[in-house]
Each structure stands twice: as C-alpha cells, then as structure tokens.
Amino acid sequence: MRKWFARLAALGVALLVAGQGTTTALAQEPTAGKKIVRVGATQSMDSMNPFLAVRLVSTSIHRWMYGFLTVPDSKTLQPSPDLAESWSASEDGRTWTFTIREAKWSDGQPITAEDAAFTFNKIMTDEAAKTANGPAVENFESVTANGQELTIKLKSPQASMLENPVPIVPKHVWESVTDMANHDAETYPTVSSGPYFAVEHKKDQYVKLQANPNYWRGKAKVDELQVIFYDNPQAAIAALQKGEIDLIGRLDPPEFKAIQNDPNIEAWNTDGRRASYLQINHGATTTDDKPLGDGHPALKDVKVRQALHYAIDKQKLVDEVWDGLAKPAHGSIVPPMYQDFFWEATGDTKVTYDPAKANQILDDAGYEKGPDGVRTMPDGDRKLEFRFSIHTDTPLEDKLAEYLTGFFKEIGITLTTKKLESSKFTEETGYTGLFDIAISGWSVNPDPEEVLATHLCSRRPTKDGEGGGTESFYCDETFEKLYKDQLKELDRPKRAEIIKQMQERLYTDAPVIAIYYTNDLEGYRKDRITSITPIPENKGLLYGGSGYWPFYTVDVKAAGASGTSGDGGGSNTGLIAGIVGAVVVIGLGGFLLSRRRKSVADERE
C-alpha cells in the first residue's frame, strides 16, 4: 500500500478500452446438455494475476478459482476449513500452525504447505506481489512449511488470522515468474484449487471458467461459468431481461425496480454488507502530524460534527434516496448482518433527527447566524460553508446531496456539491485532504478488522503522499488502544465487545457519520437457474457475498440440442459481450476500484 496506490488510480483512467460498439457473440454454441451460468458484471477484470488484481470483479472471480487457508462458513460466516483443514495458535497468539489438507491442484499435482508458504513469502519479499494483498502479511515475521504443516510466526498477536484474504497459488506454476509486475497470468487453462479454473479471458469482454474436477469438496453442479462485462447497469439489466445473462448483482434501486415485476426474474433483496457514511475532514494530517489539505476549520470542532449528525433525517434518506431499500444507521460502521460485531447506540448516546437540538448545539458553541441565515465561526472570520464531494455520474449521490443541502440549511450551514471523477475523488479524500465532507462507505467482510484499520493513525498518508488507505484521516489515542486490544483478544465474544467500543468511539467523535446500510439488490433468471444457495444460507447474498458458496452450489437447466437454454429461457449463443467503454472504468468500475484498492480483502467499494 504505497506509491502504487497512485499508479492504480491513474490506471482507472488509462484503462479506457476501445471495444465500443454493438453487442456481439464471442463464442461457439454450447454443447447440448452442457450447464452454463452467465453472470453479468458492470466492471471488467484488471488482471488475471491474483497478486495484482484489485477490482471487485477480479477478486470475486479469483475466489471462485483459488483456495484460501479458511473461508466463511456458509451458515455462520465464521472461519471454516478450506485448504487448511485444521489449525492451532500458541498461547501468546504469535505462532499459528495450519495443517493443509491432502488435495490436488486442477492439473493433478498435490497441494502442500509449500504452496502456501511460497505464496505468503512472495508477497512479503516482492514489492509488486504486494499490490493486491500486501497489508495481509505486514504482521508476518516468517512463514515456513514442512510437508502438510504450515507455520506462520507473527510480529504481534492478530485475532483476525483466520480471515486472511490471500489466495494460495501453486508453487510449481508461479516460482518461475521473475517479473511479477508485468506478469499477466494469461496462460490457459489456469492451475487452480478452487471450484473453477479459467480457460479463456477476452480483455474487457468476458472470462470463461470451467468446473474443477479435482476440487476437494467435489465437482460443481455446472460445467461452466461465464462472467460477461457490460458498460453500465442498464445494459446488464437489459441483457438479463432478454435472457442473455442469468444473474446480475450490485444493483441500485432504479435498476432493481426495473426487474421487480418481471415474471422470469427473481428480484433478490436482502440485508447487505455495506455501510454508507459521510467522511468529515476534521483536520487532516500526515503520519508525522503535519496539517494537510484545505478542510474547513469549523469541522475540527466535535460540536459542529455532532450538530451535523443531529441535522440528518436518516429515515428520509432511506425512504426517498434509496426507495426504502436500505436501513438507517444508528451507530455501527459494521452492517447488522454481522450480528456478532454490530453495535447500535442507545439511550443518551443515540443521535436522532433533531434540528432544534443541532441549532442549540451550534448556538451554545458560538456559531452565530448572520443576516443571510448562514452561521459564522465564533471569531466571525469565516462562514460555515462546506463542500460535499461526490462522484460524477452517480444519480443517487446527486440526490443525497440535495437532501443534505436542505437538512444543513435548516441549521444555518451551506452545502455546495463538488463532483469528481473516481481517481480524483480518491486522491482528494484519501491523500491530499482537499475536501470538507465526502460520501464514503465500505462493503464489510465477516471480520471487520480491515474497515476498522482504515481509521488508524498509520493509515494516513506520509508527507510524501504515500499512504495506507485512510477512510477518515482519523488519529485517536483511545481508538488506537482499543484496536491493539482487539488484535490480542482471541476470545471471540470478548473481542467483539472491544470492537463495539471502537465503533462507539467513532460514533461520538464523528470523524465519519454512518447514514444507512444499503440492501443487497440482485436478480437472476428463475427460468434458467434451478437452485442457488446464498451466503449466509438464511437469505444471504449471491454475487455480492463473501466467498464462492453461491457459485459452487448453483445449478441451471442444461443447454438444448440447438444451443438454447432449456424451457422458457433466452438465447444462449455462448458468451455475449457487453458494450465495453469508458463508463465501465470511469463510472461504476472506477469507483469500485477506488474503494477496493485500499483493502486487504475482497469486497470493498
């Protein structure tokens, strides 16, 4: 997580692809009786190399291809065996021993602890290999292998060890790679240990995966997965409605509403894993505590931040910005689907919509209203006029800005919308501090350590502009101590209580203000897909879930003799490429890249 962050931001602009034009068929008719699932994505792969891939679609596909030490349990989301069938930790929590299961790679070679040791050591020693998951091994002191036994020694205890997001690669394939930064991993078929292996990739068009017959759980129910890239959600929705794809995820309310009444489509609406919040520039600084950026000085005052919080009608935002497809956030930056770690404010701690109280807080703090109704600093030097940074081409954020402008006007604060393309947005809100308030958020994994880590002192940028991915420029002694305490606590319930204290600290100090938890909105062809198991299994997520479970369990009607997809489905002429153009990179795709690249895990926005 160093200067390559800036390079990756630039990549979001540089990857504007030339494949614009009409939709075209790109593969042969499927063999009769073959089971194929076609997944639509409004983002294309940035790399088939799991050491380099940072986009959400890329890390999702790699989760279907590669094994990890552990995976989220399909029912509880707690760590469960994957390539590691068992493990133990030393009493001091600094030495972890994993037993790697007796299994085979897709090419028939045995999987050993040497493969895992090679993978981790490669990331620890090769700067380019750190691109995707470098922070995941920052606390590793050494990694060694002995047969099927893997030993990881840590610099300090780390309670989240069983949530390690690094995909394990085969040593016998990857040890010959000498230039990781330029290795595209485009040799097919790939050698994988997960449910699928890749057999074809057309840049910015599609990826084709086949079921791995050597997968340790047993071969998947379908023969092939095709991930097809579209330039925008509307194009993907049209393809779903025409039967050109079978499933699409990560929808906003307008796209979801468009499929709700289609008799052939199952509109999937469940609790999501994303918390959305406002990022407040409360006085951005570098890691050596030097002031950074041009944030409004009034936002350094916690009373001003608290007044902003009381001025926000979160229920109205849910009802009118998200069409009721979200839940108001009254505390946690961890969404309620993760019950163990979710925290909600109660009693006097809870901030409710109360403009009168917000006005009183500002009055008492000396921020008087002028003749125009706009408040000024106590010294009268500057009006409370804040910028609100959002992304370009994001109608929901435009709508959110309209409502917030009205809410803040009621308490004598002017809000002006500032639209930025994705890489510029990330630069200003994560590195240069050139903002006042910004839209932000995180798609949280079952273990919330990484989203909490984005609020650590060490995640601020250095004086040279390097950075570890801050979400708030926060640096607080109390929060830092709690973070260290939860890292050392291996008792899950006790650790959860510490994590809740961390969230309460963020809530009361308000470097960020959680506003809502958006639902997981997806859709699939119920005339094509005969069964699919979400994660968690009790009304969980499909494409948007943590792990491969839905795509390992999915089953579909087999292709007919003429290449059609069984009864009632749309045409299945193989892979149908989306119209891949600038929108996928600068629009939704660029936005997802900007959030994913800050993390060590797979599902970030």
Side-chain angles (χ1 to χ4, degrees):
M1 299 189 119
R2 295 168 177 83
K3 283 186 177 178
W4 40 263
F5 274 147
R7 294 197 292 270
L8 287 173
L11 183 66
V13 177
L15 285 179
L16 298 182
V17 295
Q20 303 179 48
T22 58
T23 301
T24 55
L26 294 174
Q28 303 86 7
E29 297 266 339
T31 304
K34 193 173 186 179
K35 291 185 174 183
I36 298 176
V37 175
R38 302 154 302 177
V39 182
T42 50
Q43 184 186 41
S44 59
M45 293 282 291
D46 54 335
S47 178
M48 291 299 293
N49 182 339
F51 292 98
L52 303 181
V54 295
R55 290 186 185 166
L56 294 180
V57 67
S58 307
T59 52
S60 293
I61 289 172
H62 286 147
R63 280 200 175 275
W64 307 337
M65 293 171 55
Y66 295 99
F68 296 70
L69 291 181
T70 66
V71 293
D73 180 82
S74 62
K75 293 182 176 66
T76 66
L77 296 182
Q78 293 191 25
S80 68
D82 191 21
L83 291 186
E85 61 183 1
S86 62
W87 51 83
S88 61
S90 62
E91 189 174 340
D92 65 1
R94 292 184 57 189
T95 301
W96 287 75
T97 304
F98 297 87
T99 300
I100 304 300
R101 71 176 63 252
E102 301 276 355
K104 293 181 179 180
W105 293 99
S106 57
D107 66 355
Q109 293 292 314
I111 298 172
T112 71
E114 286 286 350
D115 296 304
F118 167 80
T119 302
F120 291 125
N121 281 308
K122 188 66 175 176
I123 299 175
M124 293 165 66
T125 59
D126 186 321
E127 192 68 20
K130 292 179 169 66
T131 301
N133 288 300
V137 301
E138 283 181 352
N139 191 39
F140 286 15
E141 188 172 276
S142 66
V143 183
T144 56
N146 181 14
Q148 296 302 110
E149 186 174 280
L150 178 76
T151 302
I152 300 177
K153 293 186 180 294
L154 304 175
K155 300 171 186 175
S156 59
Q158 184 174 329
S160 61
M161 264 300 292
L162 297 180
E163 306 283 349
N164 190 282
V166 174
I168 306 302
V169 302
K171 179 182 178 182
H172 67 279
V173 173
W174 286 82
E175 63 184 344
S176 61
V177 177
T178 57
D179 183 8
M180 185 65 75
N182 295 302
H183 183 66
D184 59 15
E186 296 277 1
T187 299
Y188 299 102
T190 58
V191 178
S192 308
S193 59
Y196 299 92
F197 58 88
V199 295
E200 188 178 357
H201 171 219
K202 293 293 184 182
K203 181 174 169 56
D204 303 311
Q205 296 177 8
Y206 64 84
V207 172
K208 184 192 291 186
L209 308 170
Q210 287 185 5
N212 178 8
N214 291 330
Y215 183 49
W216 66 269
R217 289 189 192 271
K219 188 173 179 288
K221 296 177 182 178
V222 300
D223 301 296
E224 191 173 289
L225 281 180
Q226 300 173 356
V227 185
I228 303 155
F229 309 133
Y230 291 87
D231 67 339
N232 57 58
Q234 292 75 27
I237 286 295
L240 182 70
Q241 291 173 321
K242 289 187 290 185
E244 293 175 351
I245 58 175
D246 305 315
L247 185 148
I248 182 71
R250 306 184 191 284
L251 301 177
D252 281 342
E255 291 83 44
F256 184 75
K257 297 281 188 181
I259 64 172
Q260 273 191 311
N261 298 318
D262 191 314
N264 292 317
I265 296 175
E266 181 72 31
W268 194 260
N269 174 15
T270 189
D271 288 346
R273 40 193 291 248
R274 181 167 176 77
S276 295
Y277 41 82
L278 304 181
Q279 178 184 353
I280 311 295
N281 190 341
H282 58 285
T285 56
T286 59
T287 50
D288 56 349
D289 297 319
K290 296 294 190 299
L292 184 70
D294 63 356
H296 197 294
L299 294 171
K300 295 179 182 180
D301 188 344
V302 67
K303 293 179 181 178
V304 173
R305 303 196 297 272
Q306 290 171 344
L308 292 175
H309 199 168
Y310 276 106
I312 300 171
D313 187 342
K314 297 176 184 177
Q315 187 62 57
K316 191 167 189 176
L317 295 180
V318 165
D319 294 340
E320 300 185 21
V321 175
W322 267 86
D323 289 335
L325 299 171
K327 293 178 176 62
H330 294 298
S332 188
I333 59 169
V334 176
M337 72 171 293
Y338 300 129
Q339 296 180 11
D340 288 353
F341 299 110
F342 176 70
W343 173 81
E344 191 166 44
T346 58
D348 293 339
T349 304
K350 187 172 182 178
V351 176
T352 58
Y353 174 54
D354 192 341
K357 185 166 185 175
N359 273 303
Q360 190 63 55
I361 290 171
L362 294 172
D363 288 341
D364 293 345
Y367 296 89
E368 297 181 357
K369 288 184 178 179
D372 58 358
V374 179
R375 294 181 183 274
T376 60
M377 297 280 289
D379 60 7
D381 184 54
R382 188 170 175 182
K383 291 184 177 182
L384 267 59
E385 297 173 330
F386 304 147
R387 299 160 295 177
F388 182 44
S389 299
I390 64 173
H391 299 83
T392 56
D393 303 316
T394 48
L396 281 179
E397 292 181 16
D398 285 329
K399 199 170 182 180
L400 173 63
E402 291 176 12
Y403 277 87
L404 291 178
T405 299
F407 294 157
F408 295 160
K409 184 178 181 180
E410 290 187 47
I411 62 171
I413 292 174
T414 299
L415 195 68
T416 303
T417 302
K418 181 180 181 182
K419 294 186 178 184
L420 300 167
E421 59 88 15
S422 184
S423 60
K424 191 67 174 176
F425 180 95
T426 302
E427 175 188 317
E428 293 193 0
T429 62
Y431 297 95
T432 59
L434 300 175
F435 75 102
D436 296 322
I437 304 173
I439 183 62
S440 193
W442 201 272
S443 292
V444 181
N445 276 341
D447 189 295
E449 181 192 313
E450 175 59 16
V451 68
L452 297 172
T454 63
H455 303 288
L456 293 174
C457 298
S458 59
R459 290 299 184 93
R460 297 171 296 167
T462 67
K463 63 180 180 180
D464 297 322
E466 299 179 359
T470 184
E471 267 297 285
S472 60
F473 291 91
Y474 198 48
C475 184
D476 176 72
E477 185 177 330
T478 300
F479 189 85
E480 297 281 320
K481 181 181 183 303
L482 289 169
Y483 182 83
K484 292 175 182 177
D485 289 345
Q486 64 85 25
L487 272 185
K488 295 182 291 186
E489 184 53 73
L490 300 184
D491 182 283
R492 185 179 177 89
K494 291 180 180 177
R495 178 173 176 245
E497 287 306 310
I498 298 172
I499 286 175
K500 290 175 183 178
Q501 292 177 48
M502 297 176 69
Q503 294 178 80
E504 182 174 2
R505 180 62 178 165
L506 288 175
Y507 185 78
T508 55
D509 208 21
V512 294
I513 297 174
I515 50 178
Y516 41 64
Y517 311 112
T518 55
N519 290 7
D520 176 64
L521 305 176
E522 310 188 61
Y524 67 84
R525 298 281 308 194
K526 54 189 177 184
D527 55 347
R528 277 277 298 140
I529 293 180
T530 57
S531 65
I532 185 169
T533 306
I535 183 169
E537 292 184 12
N538 182 23
K539 197 62 170 98
L541 289 69
L542 303 175
Y543 180 86
S546 299
Y548 58 81
W549 198 247
F551 291 94
Y552 175 62
T553 61
V554 67
D555 201 359
V556 296
K557 295 179 181 179
S562 64
T564 60
S565 53
D567 299 332
S571 171
N572 182 0
T573 57
L575 294 172
I576 307 297
I579 307 167
V580 185
V583 178
V584 68
V585 179
I586 293 186
L588 181 62
F591 176 46
L592 298 185
L593 169 59
S594 74
R595 284 292 166 231
R596 162 64 186 120
R597 69 187 191 160
K598 295 182 180 179
S599 78
V600 299
D602 67 323
E603 297 293 334
R604 302 293 184 260
E605 295 185 41

